[in-house]
Amino acid sequence: MTYTYFQPEQQFTDCFRRKPFLFSHNLDSNDLFSTASVEKLAEIWSRDNTKSGFFYLDRKFREWGSDDHKASLVEAFRHSDLSRMRMKLSFIHTQPKYDKVLETMTQELSELTHVDLVKEYRAPMETLFLTSPNEFTPYHIDSEDSFLLQIQGTKTIYIFDGSDKEILKDLDIEKYWAQNEIALREEIRSRGVRFDMEPGTGVHIPMHFPHMVESGPTSSMSLSIGYESIAFDRDLFRVNHQLRKLGLNPTPPGKSKVIDNTKMAVVAGAKGITKTLKNLQHK
Protein backbone atom coordinates (compact mmCIF):
# COMPACT_ATOMS: atom_id res chain seq x y z
CA MET A 1 0.00 0.00 0.00
CA THR A 2 1.19 3.52 -0.81
CA TYR A 3 0.84 5.88 2.16
CA THR A 4 -0.08 9.54 1.78
CA TYR A 5 0.45 10.78 5.34
CA PHE A 6 2.34 8.16 7.36
CA GLN A 7 5.47 6.04 7.13
CA PRO A 8 5.13 2.33 7.96
CA GLU A 9 6.47 1.67 11.45
CA GLN A 10 6.20 -1.55 13.46
CA GLN A 11 4.99 0.33 16.54
CA PHE A 12 1.61 0.98 14.91
CA THR A 13 0.95 -2.77 15.11
CA ASP A 14 2.79 -3.53 18.35
CA CYS A 15 1.59 -0.61 20.49
CA PHE A 16 -1.77 0.64 19.22
CA ARG A 17 -4.26 0.80 22.13
CA ARG A 18 -1.60 -0.54 24.51
CA LYS A 19 1.10 2.13 24.95
CA PRO A 20 2.05 5.56 23.56
CA PHE A 21 4.63 5.86 20.79
CA LEU A 22 6.10 8.46 18.45
CA PHE A 23 5.67 8.27 14.67
CA SER A 24 6.35 10.38 11.57
CA HIS A 25 3.89 12.17 9.27
CA ASN A 26 3.99 14.84 6.54
CA LEU A 27 0.88 16.86 7.39
CA ASP A 28 3.04 19.90 8.14
CA SER A 29 3.60 20.28 4.37
CA ASN A 30 -0.12 20.17 3.52
CA ASP A 31 -1.55 23.55 2.42
CA LEU A 32 -4.83 22.80 4.25
CA PHE A 33 -2.91 23.36 7.48
CA SER A 34 -1.02 26.48 6.50
CA THR A 35 -1.54 29.55 8.68
CA ALA A 36 -3.71 31.19 5.99
CA SER A 37 -5.94 28.13 5.58
CA VAL A 38 -6.42 27.65 9.29
CA GLU A 39 -7.26 31.33 9.76
CA LYS A 40 -10.14 30.76 7.32
CA LEU A 41 -11.28 27.84 9.46
CA ALA A 42 -11.15 30.03 12.56
CA GLU A 43 -13.28 32.66 10.79
CA ILE A 44 -15.88 30.03 9.88
CA TRP A 45 -15.96 28.70 13.44
CA SER A 46 -16.34 32.22 14.85
CA ARG A 47 -19.40 32.95 12.69
CA ASP A 48 -21.25 29.62 12.82
CA ASN A 49 -23.12 28.78 16.04
CA THR A 50 -23.39 25.13 14.98
CA LYS A 51 -19.60 24.70 15.19
CA SER A 52 -18.02 23.56 18.45
CA GLY A 53 -14.75 23.68 20.32
CA PHE A 54 -13.27 25.65 23.20
CA PHE A 55 -11.46 28.96 23.50
CA TYR A 56 -9.29 30.26 26.33
CA LEU A 57 -7.83 33.76 26.09
CA ASP A 58 -5.58 35.32 28.72
CA ARG A 59 -6.09 32.07 30.67
CA LYS A 60 -9.85 32.75 30.84
CA PHE A 61 -12.52 30.55 29.29
CA ARG A 62 -14.68 32.29 26.67
CA GLU A 63 -18.14 30.76 26.36
CA TRP A 64 -18.37 29.14 22.92
CA GLY A 65 -20.79 31.04 20.68
CA SER A 66 -20.90 34.14 22.88
CA ASP A 67 -20.35 37.62 21.43
CA ASP A 68 -17.08 37.79 23.37
CA HIS A 69 -15.92 34.57 21.78
CA LYS A 70 -16.88 35.60 18.25
CA ALA A 71 -15.26 39.00 18.52
CA SER A 72 -11.92 37.78 19.84
CA LEU A 73 -11.33 34.31 18.34
CA VAL A 74 -9.93 35.32 14.93
CA GLU A 75 -8.00 38.27 16.34
CA ALA A 76 -6.41 36.01 18.97
CA PHE A 77 -5.39 33.54 16.28
CA ARG A 78 -3.80 36.25 14.12
CA HIS A 79 -1.70 37.38 17.10
CA SER A 80 -1.26 34.01 18.75
CA ASP A 81 2.38 34.70 19.67
CA LEU A 82 1.16 37.40 22.07
CA SER A 83 -2.42 36.50 22.94
CA ARG A 84 -2.01 33.71 25.55
CA MET A 85 -4.54 31.58 23.73
CA ARG A 86 -5.68 27.95 23.73
CA MET A 87 -8.16 27.14 20.98
CA LYS A 88 -9.84 23.93 19.88
CA LEU A 89 -11.74 23.65 16.60
CA SER A 90 -13.78 20.45 16.75
CA PHE A 91 -15.03 18.32 13.84
CA ILE A 92 -13.10 20.16 11.14
CA HIS A 93 -13.84 17.18 8.87
CA THR A 94 -17.26 18.77 8.34
CA GLN A 95 -15.46 21.12 5.95
CA PRO A 96 -14.68 20.19 2.32
CA LYS A 97 -11.23 18.67 1.75
CA TYR A 98 -10.62 18.16 5.47
CA ASP A 99 -13.05 15.25 5.30
CA LYS A 100 -10.82 13.60 2.69
CA VAL A 101 -7.80 13.98 4.98
CA LEU A 102 -9.63 12.11 7.73
CA GLU A 103 -10.89 9.44 5.36
CA THR A 104 -7.42 8.76 3.94
CA MET A 105 -5.78 8.78 7.38
CA THR A 106 -8.32 6.28 8.68
CA GLN A 107 -7.62 3.96 5.76
CA GLU A 108 -3.88 4.21 6.32
CA LEU A 109 -4.10 3.74 10.09
CA SER A 110 -6.34 0.70 9.65
CA GLU A 111 -3.67 -0.82 7.42
CA LEU A 112 -0.80 0.13 9.74
CA THR A 113 -2.45 -1.04 12.98
CA HIS A 114 -4.14 -4.11 11.45
CA VAL A 115 -7.37 -2.93 13.09
CA ASP A 116 -10.55 -2.17 11.14
CA LEU A 117 -11.11 1.32 12.56
CA VAL A 118 -14.36 1.78 10.64
CA LYS A 119 -15.84 -1.42 12.07
CA GLU A 120 -14.56 -1.28 15.65
CA TYR A 121 -14.94 2.44 16.28
CA ARG A 122 -17.55 5.14 15.94
CA ALA A 123 -17.14 7.82 13.29
CA PRO A 124 -13.66 9.34 13.78
CA MET A 125 -13.12 12.93 14.89
CA GLU A 126 -10.70 15.45 13.41
CA THR A 127 -9.81 18.23 15.86
CA LEU A 128 -7.41 21.14 15.50
CA PHE A 129 -5.56 22.56 18.52
CA LEU A 130 -4.00 26.04 18.37
CA THR A 131 -1.98 27.46 21.26
CA SER A 132 0.14 30.48 22.05
CA PRO A 133 3.72 30.05 23.32
CA ASN A 134 4.25 28.54 26.76
CA GLU A 135 0.61 27.56 27.30
CA PHE A 136 -0.31 24.53 29.43
CA THR A 137 -3.11 21.97 28.93
CA PRO A 138 -3.93 20.39 32.30
CA TYR A 139 -3.83 16.70 33.19
CA HIS A 140 -6.85 14.88 31.72
CA ILE A 141 -8.06 11.74 29.98
CA ASP A 142 -9.89 11.18 26.68
CA SER A 143 -12.43 8.61 25.54
CA GLU A 144 -10.63 8.01 22.24
CA ASP A 145 -7.61 6.12 21.03
CA SER A 146 -6.01 9.11 19.36
CA PHE A 147 -3.14 10.23 17.17
CA LEU A 148 -1.80 13.73 17.83
CA LEU A 149 0.12 15.21 14.86
CA GLN A 150 2.31 18.26 15.37
CA ILE A 151 2.08 20.71 12.44
CA GLN A 152 3.61 24.01 13.58
CA GLY A 153 5.76 24.92 16.57
CA THR A 154 6.79 22.52 19.32
CA LYS A 155 5.21 21.06 22.41
CA THR A 156 6.00 18.56 25.13
CA ILE A 157 3.42 16.00 26.17
CA TYR A 158 3.61 13.86 29.30
CA ILE A 159 1.64 10.61 29.07
CA PHE A 160 0.88 8.30 32.00
CA ASP A 161 0.12 4.58 31.83
CA GLY A 162 -3.65 4.36 32.09
CA SER A 163 -3.51 0.59 32.50
CA ASP A 164 -1.62 0.96 35.80
CA LYS A 165 -4.15 1.06 38.66
CA GLU A 166 -1.64 2.89 40.85
CA ILE A 167 -1.75 5.76 38.35
CA LEU A 168 -5.40 5.65 37.26
CA LYS A 169 -7.99 4.07 39.53
CA ASP A 170 -11.52 3.09 38.48
CA LEU A 171 -12.73 5.83 40.83
CA ASP A 172 -10.66 8.42 38.92
CA ILE A 173 -12.26 7.47 35.59
CA GLU A 174 -15.76 7.45 37.05
CA LYS A 175 -15.31 10.87 38.64
CA TYR A 176 -13.92 12.31 35.41
CA TRP A 177 -16.92 11.27 33.31
CA ALA A 178 -19.38 12.24 36.05
CA GLN A 179 -17.86 15.58 37.09
CA ASN A 180 -15.11 16.37 34.55
CA GLU A 181 -12.55 16.29 37.36
CA ILE A 182 -9.28 14.42 37.68
CA ALA A 183 -6.28 15.29 39.84
CA LEU A 184 -2.60 14.69 39.19
CA ARG A 185 -1.30 13.22 42.42
CA GLU A 186 2.21 14.34 43.30
CA GLU A 187 3.38 10.79 43.98
CA ILE A 188 2.86 9.82 40.31
CA ARG A 189 4.07 13.02 38.64
CA SER A 190 7.50 11.54 37.86
CA ARG A 191 5.93 8.53 36.14
CA GLY A 192 4.73 10.45 33.11
CA VAL A 193 6.67 9.60 29.92
CA ARG A 194 7.90 12.69 28.11
CA PHE A 195 7.44 13.08 24.33
CA ASP A 196 8.93 16.09 22.56
CA MET A 197 6.91 17.09 19.51
CA GLU A 198 7.98 19.07 16.45
CA PRO A 199 6.50 19.48 12.96
CA GLY A 200 6.39 16.09 11.26
CA THR A 201 6.18 14.07 14.47
CA GLY A 202 3.13 12.56 16.12
CA VAL A 203 2.27 10.55 19.21
CA HIS A 204 -0.34 7.88 19.85
CA ILE A 205 -2.37 8.31 23.06
CA PRO A 206 -4.42 5.24 24.07
CA MET A 207 -7.86 5.76 25.57
CA HIS A 208 -7.82 6.71 29.26
CA PHE A 209 -4.07 7.30 29.33
CA PRO A 210 -3.79 10.54 31.36
CA HIS A 211 -1.71 13.29 29.79
CA MET A 212 -0.81 16.97 29.98
CA VAL A 213 0.76 19.29 27.41
CA GLU A 214 3.19 22.22 27.45
CA SER A 215 3.55 24.44 24.37
CA GLY A 216 7.02 25.54 23.26
CA PRO A 217 8.40 29.06 22.77
CA THR A 218 6.42 29.69 19.55
CA SER A 219 2.77 29.28 18.56
CA SER A 220 1.71 25.67 18.13
CA MET A 221 -0.70 23.88 15.80
CA SER A 222 -1.55 20.20 16.06
CA LEU A 223 -4.21 17.89 14.69
CA SER A 224 -5.85 15.12 16.70
CA ILE A 225 -7.47 12.13 15.00
CA GLY A 226 -9.65 10.37 17.58
CA TYR A 227 -11.32 6.96 17.48
CA GLU A 228 -13.90 6.13 20.16
CA SER A 229 -14.64 2.43 20.60
CA ILE A 230 -18.21 1.32 19.95
CA ALA A 231 -17.93 -0.54 23.29
CA PHE A 232 -17.32 2.67 25.25
CA ASP A 233 -20.22 4.32 27.09
CA ARG A 234 -19.47 7.14 29.52
CA ASP A 235 -22.90 6.64 31.16
CA LEU A 236 -21.65 3.37 32.66
CA PHE A 237 -18.91 5.27 34.51
CA ARG A 238 -21.44 7.87 35.64
CA VAL A 239 -23.73 5.16 37.04
CA ASN A 240 -20.82 3.61 38.93
CA HIS A 241 -19.95 7.02 40.35
CA GLN A 242 -23.46 7.35 41.76
CA LEU A 243 -23.42 3.79 43.10
CA ARG A 244 -20.20 4.51 45.01
CA LYS A 245 -21.93 7.48 46.64
CA LEU A 246 -24.41 4.94 48.00
CA GLY A 247 -21.58 2.95 49.56
CA LEU A 248 -21.52 0.22 46.91
CA ASN A 249 -18.53 -1.23 45.05
CA PRO A 250 -19.76 -1.49 41.43
CA THR A 251 -18.32 -3.76 38.77
CA PRO A 252 -16.10 -1.85 36.29
CA PRO A 253 -17.51 -1.43 32.76
CA GLY A 254 -16.59 -4.24 30.41
CA LYS A 255 -16.30 -6.93 33.07
CA SER A 256 -19.87 -8.23 32.73
CA LYS A 257 -22.10 -7.60 29.74
CA VAL A 258 -25.21 -8.56 31.74
CA ILE A 259 -24.42 -6.04 34.49
CA ASP A 260 -23.54 -3.34 31.96
CA ASN A 261 -26.82 -3.90 30.09
CA THR A 262 -28.78 -3.71 33.35
CA LYS A 263 -27.14 -0.40 34.24
CA MET A 264 -27.86 1.04 30.80
CA ALA A 265 -31.49 -0.05 31.04
CA VAL A 266 -31.75 1.91 34.29
CA VAL A 267 -30.12 4.94 32.64
CA ALA A 268 -32.52 4.73 29.68
CA GLY A 269 -35.49 4.52 32.05
CA ALA A 270 -34.30 7.51 34.06
CA LYS A 271 -33.82 9.58 30.89
CA GLY A 272 -37.31 8.61 29.73
CA ILE A 273 -38.86 9.73 33.01
CA THR A 274 -36.93 13.01 32.91
CA LYS A 275 -38.11 13.70 29.36
CA THR A 276 -41.71 12.94 30.27
CA LEU A 277 -41.60 15.30 33.27
CA LYS A 278 -40.11 18.08 31.14
CA ASN A 279 -42.84 17.64 28.54
CA LEU A 280 -45.52 17.81 31.24
CA GLN A 281 -44.02 21.03 32.60
CA HIS A 282 -44.38 22.68 29.21
CA LYS A 283 -48.05 21.79 28.80
Side-chain angles (χ1 to χ4, degrees):
M1 177 176 175
T2 301
Y3 295 95
T4 301
Y5 296 110
F6 302 105
Q7 297 179 13
E9 299 176 36
Q10 187 61 37
Q11 289 189 100
F12 281 105
T13 301
D14 294 343
C15 302
F16 178 58
R17 299 191 285 203
R18 290 185 285 274
K19 57 190 296 187
F21 62 89
L22 285 174
F23 57 87
S24 300
H25 68 87
N26 60 17
L27 201 66
D28 52 312
S29 62
N30 190 313
D31 286 343
L32 287 174
F33 297 93
S34 67
T35 299
S37 295
V38 172
E39 182 175 335
K40 292 179 181 177
L41 275 182
E43 290 176 349
I44 293 170
W45 258 246
S46 71
R47 297 193 307 264
D48 190 341
N49 287 334
T50 67
K51 304 299 185 185
S52 62
F54 68 60
F55 180 42
Y56 284 81
L57 186 60
D58 295 327
R59 309 284 167 85
K60 296 178 181 179
F61 176 71
R62 305 299 174 99
E63 185 68 31
W64 192 267
S66 66
D67 290 340
D68 184 30
H69 151 250
K70 293 177 181 178
S72 55
L73 187 146
V74 175
E75 192 67 20
F77 173 77
R78 288 173 179 166
H79 304 286
S80 59
D81 282 346
L82 303 173
S83 58
R84 299 176 67 189
M85 169 199 75
R86 281 196 295 127
M87 185 187 304
K88 171 184 175 183
L89 305 181
S90 301
F91 307 112
I92 66 168
H93 53 278
T94 57
Q95 295 302 113
K97 297 184 180 180
Y98 293 93
D99 57 342
K100 297 301 181 183
V101 172
L102 181 58
E103 180 181 338
T104 301
M105 282 190 169
T106 298
Q107 292 173 350
E108 293 186 16
L109 290 169
S110 291
E111 179 74 20
L112 290 166
T113 61
H114 296 151
V115 174
D116 189 337
L117 299 174
V118 175
K119 182 178 180 180
E120 296 191 25
Y121 290 83
R122 299 186 177 97
M125 294 169 283
E126 189 177 13
T127 305
L128 199 62
F129 291 98
L130 308 158
T131 54
S132 294
N134 306 312
E135 286 298 303
F136 178 72
T137 301
Y139 182 82
H140 66 285
I141 60 175
D142 296 317
S143 63
E144 305 90 15
D145 291 306
S146 65
F147 297 88
L148 183 67
L149 289 70
Q150 190 67 14
I151 300 171
Q152 293 182 19
T154 61
K155 65 175 50 170
T156 300
I157 182 168
Y158 299 88
I159 306 177
F160 297 77
D161 186 354
S163 65
D164 186 338
K165 294 301 182 183
E166 291 185 2
I167 291 177
L168 187 69
K169 307 177 190 299
D170 290 336
L171 184 61
D172 295 326
I173 303 174
E174 292 164 10
K175 186 175 182 181
Y176 185 80
W177 292 119
Q179 300 179 350
N180 196 31
E181 294 179 11
I182 189 168
L184 172 61
R185 305 190 308 278
E186 285 303 318
E187 64 267 24
I188 68 165
R189 182 180 290 274
S190 63
R191 296 172 67 175
V193 179
R194 173 174 174 156
F195 295 90
D196 293 315
M197 311 280 290
E198 61 183 23
T201 63
V203 65
H204 170 55
I205 310 172
M207 180 184 77
H208 285 170
F209 270 52
H211 51 283
M212 54 189 181
V213 186
E214 296 175 347
S215 297
T218 60
S219 296
S220 170
M221 180 192 303
S222 55
L223 182 76
S224 175
I225 306 296
Y227 299 90
E228 186 175 88
S229 170
I230 58 176
F232 173 78
D233 195 320
R234 52 183 48 78
D235 280 339
L236 287 171
F237 295 99
R238 291 166 175 162
V239 170
N240 279 6
H241 180 72
Q242 295 302 320
L243 292 175
R244 288 189 193 277
K245 287 184 175 182
L246 298 175
L248 302 176
N249 186 26
T251 302
K255 296 293 184 181
S256 169
K257 188 173 182 179
V258 172
I259 293 176
D260 286 350
N261 287 342
T262 300
K263 291 175 182 175
M264 292 313 300
V266 172
V267 171
K271 287 182 177 179
I273 293 172
T274 300
K275 183 178 180 180
T276 300
L277 290 175
K278 288 183 176 178
N279 289 337
L280 289 174
Q281 288 176 347
H282 289 90
K283 288 184 178 181

mmCIF file of all heavy atoms in Angstrom, residues 236 254-265:
data_model
loop_
_atom_site.group_PDB
_atom_site.id
_atom_site.type_symbol
_atom_site.label_atom_id
_atom_site.label_comp_id
_atom_site.label_asym_id
_atom_site.label_seq_id
_atom_site.Cartn_x
_atom_site.Cartn_y
_atom_site.Cartn_z
ATOM 1 N N LEU A 236 -21.959 4.457 31.740
ATOM 2 C CA LEU A 236 -21.646 3.368 32.663
ATOM 3 C C LEU A 236 -20.753 3.856 33.798
ATOM 4 O O LEU A 236 -20.925 3.453 34.956
ATOM 5 C CB LEU A 236 -20.966 2.220 31.916
ATOM 6 C CG LEU A 236 -21.858 1.377 31.007
ATOM 7 C CD1 LEU A 236 -21.016 0.429 30.174
ATOM 8 C CD2 LEU A 236 -22.885 0.590 31.833
ATOM 9 N N GLY A 254 -17.303 -3.280 31.228
ATOM 10 C CA GLY A 254 -16.588 -4.241 30.406
ATOM 11 C C GLY A 254 -16.327 -5.576 31.059
ATOM 12 O O GLY A 254 -15.952 -6.541 30.386
ATOM 13 N N LYS A 255 -16.545 -5.674 32.364
ATOM 14 C CA LYS A 255 -16.301 -6.933 33.071
ATOM 15 C C LYS A 255 -17.465 -7.911 32.930
ATOM 16 O O LYS A 255 -17.282 -9.126 32.931
ATOM 17 C CB LYS A 255 -16.041 -6.660 34.552
ATOM 18 C CG LYS A 255 -14.788 -5.845 34.837
ATOM 19 C CD LYS A 255 -13.526 -6.610 34.483
ATOM 20 C CE LYS A 255 -12.282 -5.837 34.869
ATOM 21 N NZ LYS A 255 -11.038 -6.550 34.511
ATOM 22 N N SER A 256 -18.676 -7.386 32.850
ATOM 23 C CA SER A 256 -19.869 -8.233 32.733
ATOM 24 C C SER A 256 -20.875 -7.556 31.817
ATOM 25 O O SER A 256 -21.386 -6.475 32.139
ATOM 26 C CB SER A 256 -20.496 -8.474 34.110
ATOM 27 O OG SER A 256 -21.773 -9.078 33.979
ATOM 28 N N LYS A 257 -21.164 -8.175 30.688
ATOM 29 C CA LYS A 257 -22.103 -7.603 29.738
ATOM 30 C C LYS A 257 -23.503 -7.533 30.328
ATOM 31 O O LYS A 257 -24.245 -6.565 30.099
ATOM 32 C CB LYS A 257 -22.112 -8.435 28.460
ATOM 33 C CG LYS A 257 -22.923 -7.803 27.330
ATOM 34 C CD LYS A 257 -22.756 -8.571 26.030
ATOM 35 C CE LYS A 257 -23.526 -7.887 24.903
ATOM 36 N NZ LYS A 257 -23.349 -8.608 23.607
ATOM 37 N N VAL A 258 -23.876 -8.540 31.125
ATOM 38 C CA VAL A 258 -25.209 -8.561 31.737
ATOM 39 C C VAL A 258 -25.372 -7.376 32.684
ATOM 40 O O VAL A 258 -26.389 -6.667 32.664
ATOM 41 C CB VAL A 258 -25.441 -9.887 32.484
ATOM 42 C CG1 VAL A 258 -26.747 -9.827 33.272
ATOM 43 C CG2 VAL A 258 -25.465 -11.050 31.504
ATOM 44 N N ILE A 259 -24.358 -7.151 33.519
ATOM 45 C CA ILE A 259 -24.421 -6.045 34.486
ATOM 46 C C ILE A 259 -24.426 -4.709 33.755
ATOM 47 O O ILE A 259 -25.202 -3.794 34.104
ATOM 48 C CB ILE A 259 -23.246 -6.126 35.478
ATOM 49 C CG1 ILE A 259 -23.392 -7.364 36.368
ATOM 50 C CG2 ILE A 259 -23.177 -4.862 36.332
ATOM 51 C CD1 ILE A 259 -22.231 -7.579 37.309
ATOM 52 N N ASP A 260 -23.577 -4.586 32.728
ATOM 53 C CA ASP A 260 -23.542 -3.336 31.956
ATOM 54 C C ASP A 260 -24.898 -3.055 31.306
ATOM 55 O O ASP A 260 -25.390 -1.920 31.331
ATOM 56 C CB ASP A 260 -22.469 -3.412 30.871
ATOM 57 C CG ASP A 260 -21.052 -3.291 31.426
ATOM 58 O OD1 ASP A 260 -20.917 -2.966 32.615
ATOM 59 O OD2 ASP A 260 -20.099 -3.532 30.661
ATOM 60 N N ASN A 261 -25.518 -4.077 30.747
ATOM 61 C CA ASN A 261 -26.822 -3.899 30.090
ATOM 62 C C ASN A 261 -27.889 -3.498 31.096
ATOM 63 O O ASN A 261 -28.779 -2.683 30.793
ATOM 64 C CB ASN A 261 -27.236 -5.183 29.376
ATOM 65 C CG ASN A 261 -26.417 -5.439 28.117
ATOM 66 O OD1 ASN A 261 -25.786 -4.531 27.588
ATOM 67 N ND2 ASN A 261 -26.416 -6.668 27.643
ATOM 68 N N THR A 262 -27.810 -4.063 32.300
ATOM 69 C CA THR A 262 -28.778 -3.714 33.350
ATOM 70 C C THR A 262 -28.632 -2.239 33.737
ATOM 71 O O THR A 262 -29.625 -1.515 33.879
ATOM 72 C CB THR A 262 -28.574 -4.599 34.586
ATOM 73 O OG1 THR A 262 -28.751 -5.973 34.217
ATOM 74 C CG2 THR A 262 -29.566 -4.244 35.678
ATOM 75 N N LYS A 263 -27.381 -1.802 33.890
ATOM 76 C CA LYS A 263 -27.136 -0.404 34.242
ATOM 77 C C LYS A 263 -27.664 0.536 33.155
ATOM 78 O O LYS A 263 -28.282 1.560 33.452
ATOM 79 C CB LYS A 263 -25.637 -0.165 34.450
ATOM 80 C CG LYS A 263 -25.056 -0.832 35.691
ATOM 81 C CD LYS A 263 -23.550 -0.629 35.740
ATOM 82 C CE LYS A 263 -22.945 -1.322 36.938
ATOM 83 N NZ LYS A 263 -21.466 -1.236 36.952
ATOM 84 N N MET A 264 -27.427 0.177 31.898
ATOM 85 C CA MET A 264 -27.857 1.040 30.803
ATOM 86 C C MET A 264 -29.373 1.068 30.685
ATOM 87 O O MET A 264 -29.948 2.084 30.282
ATOM 88 C CB MET A 264 -27.229 0.587 29.491
ATOM 89 C CG MET A 264 -25.710 0.794 29.436
ATOM 90 S SD MET A 264 -25.188 2.438 29.985
ATOM 91 C CE MET A 264 -26.053 3.475 28.820
ATOM 92 N N ALA A 265 -30.026 -0.029 31.045
ATOM 93 C CA ALA A 265 -31.495 -0.046 31.036
ATOM 94 C C ALA A 265 -32.029 0.920 32.089
ATOM 95 O O ALA A 265 -33.024 1.627 31.858
ATOM 96 C CB ALA A 265 -32.001 -1.457 31.305
#
